[in-house]
Amino acid sequence: MLDKSKVGHQFGTFTTDVEKGRLAFFAKAIGETNPVYTDESAARDAGFARIPAPPTFAMALDMQAPEFLPVLDLLGMDIGRVLHGSQEFDYLGQIYAGDRITITSKIKDIFDKKGGALEFVVMENEYTNQDNDVVCRARQTLVYRNA
């Protein structure tokens, strides 16, 4: 069983830059063709200050962390028994090309189902820009198979 006393544990923060090339690449990868995600004048014409990040881009920022899923080591989880169960985003502002985003991650909950055969780890990430504005919160649930 996973150590439920780790609920509330906050991992080290890290900061990464949002580059317009990464935004264009991400937009292409998700099949987004709206020019606001690749062209500065189209973004301005649409009312954006700069090129905005496409929806769900915040998760791509997570990949810049110094360690991939540090929760695995903290809880002693075998990655071969982990599934990505869900992810949701609350957009509180806009992430733009040129932003410097600081990401803070913590364990929000750990619970089990099916008599402990499945355990769930709920993580929450907060994304704060260079102006100290929280622009996004994301929650993801990892499913851990014990059987």
Side-chain angles (χ1 to χ4, degrees), residues 68-84:
F68 179 71
L69 286 175
V71 68
L72 300 179
D73 284 338
L74 179 72
L75 296 176
M77 299 168 75
D78 171 8
I79 195 167
R81 297 180 1 201
V82 175
L83 295 172
H84 184 266

Side-chain angles (χ1 to χ4, degrees), residues 2-15:
L2 299 177
D3 183 356
K4 293 181 182 180
S5 74
K6 300 296 184 188
V7 171
H9 177 84
Q10 184 169 312
F11 297 91
T13 62
F14 67 95
T15 301

